[in-house]
Amino acid sequence: GNDMKKTIYEGDAGVLWRKGKIQKVLGNGRHRYSLWRGEKITTVNTQTQEYTCQVQDYATKDNLTVRFMIRLRVQVSDPAAFLRALPENTHGLFVQNAASDAARVFVAKYSLEDLLGKTVELREAAQREAGEKLREAGMEITELSPVSILIPRSLRQAYEAELVIKKKALAEL
């Protein structure tokens, strides 16, 4: 009595709960569960999702402000851990925060000049740090686009002027 059925489709995973506790992860197909035993099945999208961390202001080691955008693709790899870690519909914010926190920490370690030469390392650091945080919440980063560092125009003009002066000084040696 009181048996229900739920179909889990391609691109989703099912999670069987009994009395508020996760019992197991279900693959594609039809699954039965019993309301009488206090069971329910929730579905988790396991397809890759793309997130963009909006442009944010970060301070470099020499206290200049740069802005950035980070794009990453993320997939749920452990549906049970994912549901345990995050309240419903907060994972987008969680992903964005994990990526921005990783970037903020990296940026604070370098001066602007050093930073501009370290975009590859920045991307690796963001992937590593954010990756660890996301793994704890049952997610994997499948791709992280190169991070674009945006320098405010006034700062960029000053910076370029300084480079011109440096080049001139070198030419005069």
Side-chain angles (χ1 to χ4, degrees):
N2 236 341
D3 265 14
M4 310 290 286
K5 288 189 184 82
K6 183 162 187 143
T7 303
I8 305 300
Y9 296 101
E10 195 68 46
D12 282 333
V15 177
L16 175 68
W17 300 73
R18 185 176 302 127
K19 297 185 177 144
K21 285 198 166 61
I22 292 176
Q23 302 301 309
K24 62 177 176 182
V25 174
L26 309 167
N28 297 147
R30 277 178 80 62
H31 300 277
R32 310 170 80 94
Y33 62 102
S34 158
L35 293 178
W36 182 75
R37 283 200 300 266
E39 293 178 341
K40 69 173 183 170
I41 292 176
T42 49
T43 54
V44 173
N45 182 343
T46 53
Q47 293 175 59
T48 303
Q49 315 249 1
E50 187 163 303
Y51 297 95
T52 301
C53 301
Q54 292 317 319
V55 175
Q56 304 214 16
D57 288 334
Y58 296 128
T60 59
K61 189 178 181 179
D62 46 355
N63 257 320
L64 298 169
T65 303
V66 291
R67 313 186 85 191
F68 280 33
M69 210 160 107
I70 304 177
R71 292 254 285 292
L72 65 166
R73 295 170 71 86
V74 172
Q75 196 171 16
V76 172
S77 50
D78 181 342
F82 175 76
L83 289 175
R84 275 191 204 105
L86 301 171
E88 219 160 338
N89 298 322
T90 58
H91 56 276
L93 197 59
F94 182 83
V95 169
Q96 290 174 342
N97 288 341
S100 343
D101 290 350
R104 185 182 303 113
V105 169
F106 186 89
V107 170
K109 289 181 189 164
Y110 300 101
S111 67
L112 178 63
E113 193 168 347
D114 292 344
L115 191 63
L116 292 175
K118 288 191 180 296
T119 52
V120 173
E121 290 94 326
L122 169 56
R123 179 182 172 195
E124 285 166 359
Q127 182 141 14
R128 194 174 51 248
E129 302 290 320
E132 270 175 37
K133 223 180 245 179
L134 293 177
R135 250 191 311 283
E136 289 165 15
M139 291 181 273
E140 287 291 331
I141 296 176
T142 56
E143 188 190 332
L144 193 137
S145 307
V147 180
S148 42
I149 300 176
L150 312 166
I151 305 169
R153 187 180 292 125
S154 56
L155 187 59
R156 192 164 52 236
Q157 287 164 343
Y159 183 70
E160 283 163 4
E162 193 184 320
L163 286 184
V164 169
I165 293 166
K166 277 186 186 165
K167 279 188 188 135
K168 257 194 196 142
L170 286 174
E172 285 163 11
L173 286 177

